[in-house]
Amino acid sequence: MDRSVMTKAVVATAFGGPEVLSVIEVPAGPPGPGEVLISVRAAGTNPIDYKRYSGAMGRDPARLPMRLGSEAAGVVTEAADGAEGPGGRIRAGDEVIAYPIAGGYAADVVVPASSVIPKPAALSFGQASGTMLTGVTAWHALAAGQVGAGDTVLVHGASGGVGLMAVQLAAASGARVIGTASPGAHALLREFGVEPVTYGAGLEERVRALAPDGVDAAVDAVGGDEALDTSLALVADHGRIVTLLASRRAFDSGVKVIGGAPGADPGTEIRAAARLELARLAEHGKLRVIVAATYPLAEAAAAHEALATGHTRGKIVLVP
Ligand SMILES: NC(=O)c1ccc[n+]([C@@H]2O[C@H](COP(=O)([O-])OP(=O)(O)OC[C@H]3O[C@@H](n4cnc5c(N)ncnc54)[C@H](OP(=O)(O)O)[C@@H]3O)[C@@H](O)[C@H]2O)c1
């Protein structure tokens, strides 16, 4: 007997800009062995989501229509017998975060139990849906840069999704944090104890005015020459410069490139383990997640247009 139900999901029907997104009906469930069916209450959006259908990562027609969304928060509708995630047994009715998953931009989604952890009660579903991808990335970046107490760390892109996680985790570890952002985000960064610096021409000098002897480590969530050149000039040990944006220059410069790009360090284990740590910090009010905007699933294209401007402060979230 087919027990699947029909649900709504966002798909890219072609390669291109956000205009290729639409909502279609797809089957959901029942969960197979080791799987969990979730009623999605919020889905976190991330730049990788629009990069996947932009054409920049290839245009294989076999990938269309393309489901999107690698993180979500919701309520478990049905769990396979014995389903267990990193936080223990999963049962119907549990409020959870699911990451990493495929197809999170949906009203219902079947996910592996291994991706499901309890939602911290202190976070709304919207906040919870935007915590993990950025959080584990920031966690991995700081570990790769060996950032800890007594260090001064420079975070490029401090007011974005990953940046806001990185500055909070770095400050919690006892580091002094200098973060780059446009002036409109400086007050927000100060709330997190960050010393803000405006990016653009003269960046190196502005950071040097705050840290005349340079900085110990850098996390680059922006990419491009300005951030890389500034990091190379200010960090003596280039192995303590960590970038999320793979480029020929980054690899050739001897900095650490992390993430899913070919040749980058995926940090699979450290990222998987970080999920429960991040949830624990959030539960204890030690990790703030800022929801910059919320859009209905049907307006995913508008959400991606906003995200693609590259000036989001926090997370953009979709709700079914
Ligand atoms: N390798 C990995 O594992 C990995 C994981 C996650 C993300 N990423 C990538 O990392 C990048 C950042 O991701 P995200 O989720 O943080 O994106 P995001 O939230 O969209 O980042 C937006 C932020 O970037 C800031 N920004 C834009 N241009 C800047 C510049 N030149 N200098 C400093 N800040 C600048 C903006 O600040 P203002 O508004 O002040 O301009 C805004 O706050 C994306 O390209 C993403 O694909 C990689």
Side-chain angles (χ1 to χ4, degrees):
M1 182 181 72
D2 180 7
R3 287 203 300 116
S4 64
V5 293
M6 295 307 280
T7 192
K8 286 182 298 182
V10 174
V11 290
T13 53
F15 292 99
E19 72 282 354
V20 305
L21 298 183
S22 54
V23 176
I24 61 166
E25 293 275 320
V26 296
E35 289 182 336
V36 174
L37 174 63
I38 293 172
S39 168
V40 175
R41 299 295 156 84
T45 70
N46 290 283
I48 186 71
D49 301 341
Y50 64 74
K51 291 179 186 179
R52 284 184 59 223
Y53 65 83
S54 69
M57 298 171 73
R59 287 175 175 268
D60 179 359
R63 290 164 55 218
L64 300 174
M66 188 189 293
R67 293 279 299 270
L68 300 170
S70 49
E71 59 182 336
V75 179
V76 174
T77 316
E78 187 177 346
D81 285 343
E84 197 157 317
R89 273 297 291 277
I90 303 163
R91 295 180 177 82
D94 288 354
E95 297 191 346
V96 296
I97 296 178
Y99 171 80
I101 60 170
Y105 290 10
D108 304 272
V109 65
V110 173
V111 302
S114 58
S115 294
V116 176
I117 64 166
K119 179 183 84 67
L123 296 182
S124 68
F125 283 108
Q127 290 171 314
S129 76
T131 304
M132 288 298 152
L133 190 148
T134 53
V136 304
T137 304
W139 189 284
H140 181 200
L142 295 170
Q146 298 166 278
V147 175
D151 284 330
T152 298
V153 60
L154 173 63
V155 177
H156 296 278
S159 54
V162 178
L164 284 171
M165 289 287 176
V167 300
Q168 292 182 80
L169 295 171
S173 76
R176 174 186 176 204
V177 186
I178 299 173
T180 73
S182 60
H186 287 196
L188 174 67
L189 290 181
R190 284 197 193 93
E191 286 178 29
F192 291 102
V194 178
E195 296 167 60
V197 175
T198 303
Y199 58 80
L203 175 61
E204 181 190 333
E205 291 69 31
R206 287 191 291 282
V207 179
R208 229 181 249 292
L210 292 173
D213 298 328
V215 297
D216 300 294
V219 171
D220 179 2
V222 173
D225 287 339
E226 178 182 281
L228 184 57
D229 288 339
T230 305
S231 298
L232 290 169
L234 291 167
V235 182
D237 176 355
H238 290 174
R240 296 187 69 190
I241 301 170
V242 182
T243 184
L244 315 186
L245 287 305
S247 68
R248 190 67 270 150
R249 265 202 79 205
F251 284 115
D252 290 347
S253 308
V255 311
K256 286 192 173 134
V257 183
I258 66 166
D265 172 12
T268 311
E269 284 174 21
I270 190 170
R271 289 182 184 220
R275 292 172 300 176
L276 288 178
E277 304 281 355
L278 292 160
R280 194 176 48 78
L281 287 171
E283 187 63 67
H284 292 97
K286 292 181 176 153
L287 198 61
R288 244 176 86 193
V289 185
I290 294 176
V291 175
T294 302
Y295 292 81
L297 213 49
E299 291 173 25
H304 275 200
E305 266 160 31
L307 186 64
T309 64
H311 297 292
T312 307
R313 307 216 169 116
K315 298 298 301 175
I316 293 178
V317 164
L318 298 176
V319 288

